Amino acid sequence: MTPLDGLALAAAIRSGRTTASAVMDAAIARAESVADLGAIRHLAPQLGREQAAAIDAGRRRSSQDDVSAPFLGVPFLMKDLGSAAKGLPTVCSSRAIAPQPASADSDLVHRFRAAGLLPFGVTTVPEFGLSLACEPAMGPIARNPLDPTRTPGGSSGGSAAAVAAGIVAIAHATDAGGSIRVPAACCGLVGLKPTRGATPGGPTFGNHLGGLVSELVVSRSLRDTAAILDCCAGHAKGPTPDPDLGDRLADRLDERPAGLRIGVCVDCGPAGDIGPAQKEAVRHAADVFNSAGHEIRTIGADRLTALLRDALLVFDRTISVNLARLLDDVSLVEPLSAAVARRGQSITATELQAAQLTGVRVAHGLWTLFSEVDVLLTPMLSGPPPLIGSFPTDHGDVDLQWRRMAACAPFAMVANVAGTPALSIPHGRSDGLPLAVQLIGPMASDGLLLRLARLLQTALPWHFQTTIAGLPQ
């Protein structure tokens, strides 16, 4: 059965069943009708309609399909953090940043546009991305379409809420400590944090964060994620070598990996407690892999405890110093942001260097583990999507915030610090809310993770409550 996703929407435009303009109008209408979800901070209807009209005009002039643009005419939303899109303002949900529309596209957005995506708005984030919920003081509060009393996650929660609500089929997301994968898990979406260096962060690399950050999307399907990764990966012109992810990942999703060693870890030691439903989702996923002929190996919490602890320290030092670099004046920011910036100002160069060396050891530790197993399978979240208000930012206790984040997604940050790919995939439900598991692989194993996730998707399909705006039925 063909997924109802962004590629299906583009196919409908190509076939003449609809037009880019009609789809854009439907996306704008959906955005306005579910504005109470708070998914979108800034909507630019005219910009979206102008781009869609240009697509339709180009199709009228030429009957040739642009096969290099698999998402031709598909509406798209940018996250209010990370890569910039011309004509859209990025303010990181902070009153401290003037809302000036970007004068040019970043390298990544240039690739998004070349893939056919049409940015027409900016999604909600927590101020400076410092939370796994999206409840900035300047507003709006982003809510989970599956249960508005709960968060869609963070920091790409606005993007995840928009995709889950069907405003768009696919949206920009970034991940420095789980910020693609946690919202995907909260909203029943696919969320891949690519291998470090796979996608561009230039030309300024202002969001690089010492290699913690990867940028891509949250989407409704594995094939959408694979297709946009095909369009965006490679020749990133960045500070790391280009990882070789292989060719045409989207065309290889149905290839069945054989004879893998799957390391299963359902306990995270002192980092937090994993709920019974989340553990059962991992066990069920392990059974699926075992039935497909893969070897299942149990990984005890003791093998990862030190790596998880050290990854949190690296995250703390890197994020704090970066925010101190950005903020000369903390009078306009939220109390948590001010406290993080002050912490960054107090960190010495030797302490930062020590943290960087700790990050190297985390990467080496994970590489060592991958000499014993080919892929790690873990819970993505420790429990259900947290309730609104679970991550308040009206305080200055930075350590408390980091502990709350680590307890919510204890296995998230290690992949950022090590630079490895990590994928969140929905796998079952509990009390009507999505369960999700995480796959972590060695560097450049992005395609392998997507193919393994296809086994899980086939065994336990995920169905959305809402259709994508503008997709013909």
Side-chain angles (χ1 to χ4, degrees), residues 27 42 78-79 83 87 106 142 202 262 290 318 361 364 373 410 454:
H42 174 82
M78 293 298 300
K79 179 179 176 178
S83 291
S106 68
I262 310 292
N290 186 50
T318 306
R361 288 191 289 271
H364 181 265
V373 299
R454 179 72 112 189

Side-chain angles (χ1 to χ4, degrees), residues 214-449:
S214 293
E215 299 194 42
L216 198 62
V217 299
V218 287
S219 79
R220 288 192 167 207
S221 73
L222 286 165
R223 70 171 194 159
D224 271 6
T225 294
I228 196 61
L229 186 59
D230 281 333
C231 293
C232 293
H235 306 289
K237 303 175 184 176
T240 60
D242 281 328
D244 182 5
L245 305 189
D247 296 327
R248 303 303 306 163
L249 300 181
D251 295 338
R252 299 168 53 204
L253 279 178
D254 288 323
E255 293 180 6
R256 293 172 67 91
L260 297 177
R261 302 163 298 170
I262 310 292
V264 178
C265 189
V266 293
D267 294 305
C268 55
D273 295 323
I274 306 297
Q278 286 68 37
K279 288 183 177 181
E280 182 55 35
V282 172
R283 294 189 183 104
H284 186 275
D287 288 343
V288 172
F289 291 142
N290 186 50
S291 298
H294 302 295
E295 178 187 349
I296 303 302
R297 297 187 179 185
T298 299
I299 303 296
D302 59 300
R303 297 296 307 277
L304 288 172
T305 296
L307 297 181
L308 301 182
R309 180 199 63 222
D310 290 347
L312 181 58
L313 181 143
V314 176
F315 175 87
D316 166 62
R317 298 291 191 270
T318 306
I319 295 297
S320 298
V321 169
N322 182 68
L323 196 57
R325 177 183 68 87
L326 290 175
L327 293 177
D328 295 323
D329 180 4
V330 298
S331 63
L332 295 178
V333 303
E334 298 172 23
L336 179 66
S337 300
V340 172
R342 285 194 292 268
R343 170 173 288 195
Q345 291 167 352
S346 71
I347 293 172
T348 66
T350 53
E351 288 172 332
L352 181 61
Q353 174 68 3
Q356 292 172 345
L357 291 174
T358 298
V360 171
R361 288 191 289 271
V362 169
H364 181 265
L366 207 54
W367 269 115
T368 300
L369 191 55
F370 284 132
S371 69
E372 302 173 28
V373 299
D374 299 299
V375 173
L376 277 174
L377 168 65
T378 77
M380 189 63 248
L381 303 179
S382 61
L387 294 167
I388 295 292
S390 295
F391 296 95
T393 57
D394 59 352
H395 63 88
D397 193 336
V398 178
D399 291 328
L400 175 61
Q401 180 74 353
W402 297 163
R403 287 198 301 271
R404 285 170 171 165
M405 290 170 61
C408 176
F411 297 102
M413 290 180 187
V414 68
N416 297 91
V417 174
T420 63
L423 174 70
S424 177
I425 181 77
H427 196 67
R429 295 178 187 265
S430 178
D431 297 326
L433 294 170
L435 296 168
V437 298
Q438 176 177 224
L439 299 172
I440 305 175
M443 300 287 275
S445 65
D446 307 55
L448 174 63
L449 301 187

